Amino acid sequence: MANLRFQVVAEAFKKQPLDIPAPTERPSEYFGKYVFNKQKMFKYLPKKVYDKMLDVIDNGAPLDRATADQVAAGMKKWAMELGVTHCTHWFQPLTDTTAEKHDGFVEHDGKGGMIEEFEGKSLVQQEPDASSFPSGGIRSTFEARGYSAWDPTSPVFVIGDTLMIPTVFISYTGEALDYKTPLLRTLRAIDKAATDVARYFDPDVKKVISNLGWEQEYFLVDEGLFSARPDLLLTGRTLMGHSSAKDQQMDDHYFGSIPERVAAFMKDLERQALELGIPCKTRHNEVAPNQFELAPIFEETNLAIDHNMLIMSLMKKVARHHGFRCLLHEKPFDGVNGSGKHCNWSLSTDTGVLLHGPAKDEIGNLRFITFVVETLMGVYKHNGLLKASIMTATNAHRLGANEAPPAIISSFLGRQLTTVLEHLANTAEDDSIDIAGKAGLKLDIPSIPELLIDNTDRNRTSPFAFTGNRFEFRAVGSEANCASAMITLNAAVAEALVDFKKRVDALIAKGKDKHTAILSVLKDDIRTCKPIHFEGNGYSDEWVEEAKKRGLDTEKSCPVIYDRYLDKASIEMFDSLNIMSAKELEARNEIKWETYTKKIQIEARVFGDLSMNHIIPVCTHYQSQLAKNVQSMYDIFPKETADKLTARNKKIIEEIAERTQTIETGVDELVNARKVANKIDDEHLKAIAYHDTVAPKMEEIRYQIDKLELIVADELWTLPKYRELLFIR
């Protein structure tokens, strides 16, 4: 086994990058090649059908079956020209992955042969088996019927020989069994709420769009080394392993020269992503060794999330072609930075970006401040729920560590914007304030002339930071479906905007002019949401205590954090905006608790197996070698001399005996803790038991194993070490 490890390492270092031919086309020439976008629609659909589809996509108009049949005919013609033979409804069940069932373009022709057929009914609706997907009790296992329905706002695309149709996934009784259904509902809610408020400042606004630009972090490891680590293979992270003498402490990997093999992978990935209409923009080395980042141009949130789910699948596939495995786990290696998926969120209208500042007139600046403040109101009121939306068993390893946002939601605004809001909240309307910046402009309230918002540093410890024309939600996990976070964020902001308009309208009805009414409500809201503002070090212990005083959610237990979904305020928000019912929320929590339990359960089983079948045998074998060496010393030398010569080995033998005994006892306790937890019927309480009693046992045992890795002969250690996993080039 030891020789196998050395062989795998040697082969990894020998690998050369694939020879990828230089492209003969510019990206603009092959962008969207495999996407049935508006350009393809115009070419393959009759003009009336094309116009109807634009109305469906842009304005949410209903899609009739006759139009669907004509769209399907044009889509089939385009797809078959690309060699497509199958179609599938591509959806996002509550597993943080995607699902698909392929059907061939095959029908009997009535003459003993077959024809290629694809009709509107196959495009619009299918009936995948729903019994094996998580439902949280909404459907019994034997009640299998579920429906997937086409989402025309996300373009159909082709992968290989299959036409991929983005869809929603609902139960027979109509409840959402996926992420896309509530996401589309929340996008509709934010559109209506934000449009109503935006019309205070511009009556011509027709629509508000939620925009998202995600930043996907990931690790690459050599495939051979990955395969030699059962923990990586089965859990996505290393359950044991001592830190390398050199890892990220020199800061030499971040933004460094991209390794040749990795550059070849990135080049291949970007080409395929661009062909699928994913607008890849940025690539670079991240902080930890073998950690990298990919980021696209901003898109409409629904499409951006579909593209993120697609790119994660594509990354894994392309990585294997280059001899890598792509790791999306938030914390695959202990002691170095984990991976997040920073979600840059903003709102825009058909006339501009609502969070863009500074504006060139006081109306524009007042609008900007209004949407910033109401975003903060939503985040403040539902800070615990927002944390629940990004919390998973895997992301829990990253949150709160000194390389990730803390497990407390707060917002960094920067010096100038903070000063503006404090002035609005605390001074009379006819006062003014000097704003430090490029020109030291004076801000007059209520007229609010042009603002300067780029005169402050960023705060990387803030989980929800304002960064110029958007908020960056940095706490989202790298392998998560970011729809979970976007559903909650958009809903929280929509609710705040609805409440804002209600109060402004009430003041106007009492005789106040619109401008004064808006400022009056803003003043109240700035004071109300002040606890969510934090400009300091989010990693400090002092901040935890301060956050408690401010009434912010400081809970760290993943299963307990999920309770925020069932708070009265959460249920009322989702229900009032017609996003999810109480029944759907309860079902999703059942799934979250069960998923948490299963992930820790799998880790514990893998951990126990590795401890007893890899670590203990290797350590005892080395211990036996040392014992033989000690005995031979006494056979050769006088006792006094042998005592001196064997002192070190005796000490190691004793240490191995003590640590292996601790490991064996710990594994027994780990197994017993699992057995006790498994007897608990309530999924909530079972998840808490796994968090409180099972997970800590693994950390205790890992400490002993990592110490043993340092003293056992390297030639005997069977598992690839961090210095090998993290530095393959």
Side-chain angles (χ1 to χ4, degrees), residues 530-705:
K530 186 176 181 180
I532 206 70
H533 299 191
F534 182 63
E535 308 290 302
N537 180 7
Y539 297 157
S540 67
D541 293 336
E542 291 79 9
W543 166 231
V544 176
E545 295 305 314
E546 174 62 22
K548 289 178 182 177
K549 293 177 183 177
R550 296 186 183 193
L552 301 181
D553 193 309
T554 59
E555 179 60 59
K556 294 182 179 180
S557 168
C558 186
V560 175
I561 288 170
Y562 290 149
D563 293 350
R564 301 289 72 76
Y565 273 99
L566 302 181
D567 287 347
K568 181 180 178 182
S570 301
I571 293 173
E572 288 178 350
M573 177 187 73
F574 284 120
D575 186 60
S576 67
L577 296 172
N578 297 313
I579 294 170
M580 284 185 282
S581 65
K583 181 180 180 182
E584 287 173 305
L585 290 170
E586 290 167 359
R588 282 165 192 261
N589 259 29
E590 284 291 316
I591 294 169
K592 287 177 183 292
W593 289 322
E594 185 178 4
T595 299
Y596 178 87
T597 295
K598 287 179 178 178
K599 283 184 179 280
I600 304 301
Q601 186 180 67
I602 291 169
E603 287 191 352
R605 293 175 68 180
V606 172
F607 192 88
D609 175 60
L610 285 177
S611 298
M612 301 307 295
N613 295 318
H614 284 253
I615 305 304
I616 296 295
V618 166
C619 293
T620 53
H621 179 59
Y622 182 55
Q623 189 181 42
S624 297
Q625 288 184 347
L626 292 178
K628 289 179 182 178
N629 176 268
V630 169
Q631 184 61 50
S632 66
M633 291 295 103
Y634 281 98
D635 292 341
I636 298 171
F637 300 103
K639 181 179 182 304
E640 184 177 343
T641 303
D643 285 343
K644 293 179 181 180
L645 293 175
T646 60
R648 178 180 178 275
N649 283 355
K650 286 179 180 178
K651 184 177 180 181
I652 294 175
I653 290 170
E654 183 178 2
E655 182 176 352
I656 290 175
E658 291 174 351
R659 294 193 185 279
T660 53
Q661 180 59 53
T662 302
I663 291 170
E664 290 177 358
T665 302
V667 170
D668 287 341
E669 293 175 352
L670 178 65
V671 172
N672 290 331
R674 277 188 13 238
K675 288 180 179 178
V676 171
N678 290 339
K679 292 179 181 179
I680 301 173
D681 293 327
D682 184 277
E683 290 295 342
H684 184 201
L685 297 178
K686 183 187 291 186
I688 291 174
Y690 262 88
H691 176 274
D692 293 349
T693 65
V694 177
K697 291 292 182 187
M698 288 191 286
E699 290 302 313
E700 294 170 7
I701 300 168
R702 175 175 185 157
Y703 175 81
Q704 302 297 332
I705 293 174

Side-chain angles (χ1 to χ4, degrees), residues 76 80 84-86 103-119:
K76 184 185 77 169
M80 291 184 67
V84 168
T85 58
H86 290 69
D103 292 322
F105 289 169
V106 178
E107 292 292 343
H108 288 295
D109 65 356
K111 303 174 184 178
M114 55 80 64
I115 57 174
E116 288 81 13
E117 189 66 76
F118 178 62
E119 298 178 343

Side-chain angles (χ1 to χ4, degrees), residues 65 68-70 72-73 76 107 117-124:
R65 182 51 61 86
D69 284 337
Q70 290 178 291
K76 184 185 77 169
E107 292 292 343
E117 189 66 76
F118 178 62
E119 298 178 343
K121 62 181 180 181
S122 299
L123 170 64
V124 172

Side-chain angles (χ1 to χ4, degrees), residues 23-263:
T24 57
E25 305 168 282
R26 295 189 298 273
S28 59
E29 294 177 301
Y30 56 79
F31 179 75
K33 177 180 179 180
Y34 297 114
V35 182
F36 196 67
N37 51 26
K38 291 179 181 179
Q39 182 184 37
K40 308 293 193 329
M41 288 183 191
F42 184 80
K43 179 179 179 181
Y44 287 90
L45 301 181
K47 181 66 166 60
K48 281 188 176 181
V49 177
Y50 172 75
D51 291 340
K52 175 66 176 176
M53 282 304 300
L54 291 187
D55 194 25
V56 170
I57 294 169
D58 296 336
N59 304 314
L63 179 67
D64 58 83
R65 182 51 61 86
T67 301
D69 284 337
Q70 290 178 291
V71 172
M75 198 178 286
K76 184 185 77 169
K77 182 179 179 182
W78 166 73
M80 291 184 67
E81 289 176 2
L82 295 172
V84 168
T85 58
H86 290 69
C87 69
T88 183
H89 275 199
W90 181 74
F91 55 97
Q92 301 168 24
L94 299 173
T95 57
D96 281 334
T97 58
T98 57
E100 53 198 64
K101 175 176 72 75
H102 297 198
D103 292 322
F105 289 169
V106 178
E107 292 292 343
H108 288 295
D109 65 356
K111 303 174 184 178
M114 55 80 64
I115 57 174
E116 288 81 13
E117 189 66 76
F118 178 62
E119 298 178 343
K121 62 181 180 181
S122 299
L123 170 64
V124 172
Q125 179 179 314
Q126 287 187 5
E127 189 180 323
D129 186 341
S131 63
S132 295
F133 290 107
S135 72
I138 283 180
R139 303 289 289 157
S140 300
T141 301
F142 62 85
E143 296 174 312
R145 196 183 299 275
Y147 295 110
S148 55
W150 179 32
D151 170 21
T153 62
S154 184
V156 170
F157 56 96
V158 168
I159 292 183
D161 65 356
T162 305
L163 186 69
M164 314 288 287
I165 305 165
T167 62
V168 300
F169 182 46
I170 60 174
S171 73
Y172 177 71
T173 48
E175 292 91 357
L177 296 176
D178 66 345
Y179 284 104
K180 182 178 277 279
T181 301
L183 176 69
L184 293 176
R185 292 171 182 165
T186 198
L187 294 178
R188 185 169 62 245
I190 193 73
D191 175 16
K192 184 180 186 310
T195 298
D196 287 345
V197 173
R199 284 176 178 162
Y200 281 142
F201 311 99
D202 182 357
D204 295 329
V205 170
K206 297 181 178 63
K207 185 177 184 179
V208 172
I209 300 166
S210 169
N211 299 114
L212 172 63
W214 42 263
E215 303 169 28
Q216 181 69 58
E217 296 175 343
Y218 61 97
F219 281 85
L220 292 176
V221 297
D222 186 87
E223 185 160 26
L225 295 172
F226 174 89
S227 300
R229 290 285 309 220
D231 48 357
L232 273 178
L233 185 67
L234 296 175
T235 73
R237 77 179 181 107
T238 53
L239 299 176
M240 54 192 67
H242 199 280
S243 58
S244 173
K246 178 186 182 298
D247 45 52
Q248 67 185 46
Q249 65 265 52
M250 298 300 295
D251 298 323
D252 53 346
H253 187 67
Y254 190 51
F255 280 19
S257 177
I258 298 173
E260 194 174 1
R261 280 181 66 199
V262 176

Side-chain angles (χ1 to χ4, degrees), residues 10 14 47 242 249 256 287 415 430 504 515 704:
K14 288 179 184 177
K47 181 66 166 60
H242 199 280
Q249 65 265 52
V287 174
R415 183 176 67 252
D430 57 351
V504 169
H515 192 87
Q704 302 297 332

Side-chain angles (χ1 to χ4, degrees), residues 319-591:
R320 298 196 69 174
H321 291 167
H322 291 260
F324 290 119
R325 283 299 185 105
C326 178
L327 305 181
L328 295 176
H329 192 290
E330 283 80 5
K331 196 73 172 178
F333 303 104
D334 188 46
V336 299
N337 279 19
S339 297
K341 181 166 20 220
H342 302 175
C343 288
N344 296 280
W345 172 89
S346 190
L347 295 174
S348 64
T349 73
D350 46 319
T351 60
V353 181
L354 292 176
L355 294 176
H356 191 282
K360 295 186 179 300
D361 57 74
E362 59 188 69
I363 295 299
N365 279 323
L366 183 57
R367 180 188 66 183
F368 162 70
I369 289 176
T370 296
F371 278 91
V372 167
V373 170
E374 295 315 309
T375 297
L376 295 175
M377 279 292 290
V379 172
Y380 169 64
K381 182 176 180 181
H382 296 287
N383 69 93
L385 179 62
L386 279 166
K387 181 165 62 176
S389 75
I390 53 89
M391 183 59 80
T392 63
T394 54
N395 204 23
H397 292 288
R398 168 178 166 264
L399 294 180
N402 281 349
E403 93 279 344
I408 302 169
I409 301 298
S410 65
S411 185
F412 170 83
L413 301 177
R415 183 176 67 252
Q416 183 184 15
L417 189 52
T418 297
T419 301
V420 170
L421 298 187
E422 288 177 351
H423 179 84
L424 275 171
N426 300 318
T427 63
E429 292 183 354
D430 57 351
D431 283 351
S432 61
I433 185 170
D434 287 327
I435 301 298
K438 294 176 181 176
L441 293 183
K442 181 166 286 191
L443 178 70
D444 293 317
I445 303 297
S447 56
I448 310 179
E450 184 174 352
L451 300 175
L452 296 172
I453 60 168
D454 61 348
N455 61 351
T456 186
D457 197 1
R458 298 174 66 189
N459 186 332
R460 296 187 63 81
T461 73
S462 175
F464 194 77
F466 184 72
T467 56
N469 58 3
R470 64 193 182 276
F471 282 93
E472 184 180 13
F473 196 5
R474 302 184 65 248
V476 183
S478 55
E479 71 175 354
N481 185 330
C482 48
S484 177
M486 293 299 101
I487 289 167
T488 303
L489 177 57
N490 279 303
V493 176
E495 182 190 52
L497 289 168
V498 168
D499 183 62
F500 173 81
K501 186 175 187 303
K502 180 180 178 180
R503 288 179 290 143
V504 169
D505 287 349
L507 292 178
I508 292 174
K510 292 179 180 179
K512 282 197 173 186
D513 67 89
K514 180 178 67 177
H515 192 87
T516 303
I518 290 172
L519 282 170
S520 178
V521 175
L522 282 177
K523 285 173 176 288
D524 290 340
D525 286 353
I526 293 168
R527 298 185 191 106
T528 299
C529 70
K530 186 176 181 180
I532 206 70
H533 299 191
F534 182 63
E535 308 290 302
N537 180 7
Y539 297 157
S540 67
D541 293 336
E542 291 79 9
W543 166 231
V544 176
E545 295 305 314
E546 174 62 22
K548 289 178 182 177
K549 293 177 183 177
R550 296 186 183 193
L552 301 181
D553 193 309
T554 59
E555 179 60 59
K556 294 182 179 180
S557 168
C558 186
V560 175
I561 288 170
Y562 290 149
D563 293 350
R564 301 289 72 76
Y565 273 99
L566 302 181
D567 287 347
K568 181 180 178 182
S570 301
I571 293 173
E572 288 178 350
M573 177 187 73
F574 284 120
D575 186 60
S576 67
L577 296 172
N578 297 313
I579 294 170
M580 284 185 282
S581 65
K583 181 180 180 182
E584 287 173 305
L585 290 170
E586 290 167 359
R588 282 165 192 261
N589 259 29
E590 284 291 316
I591 294 169

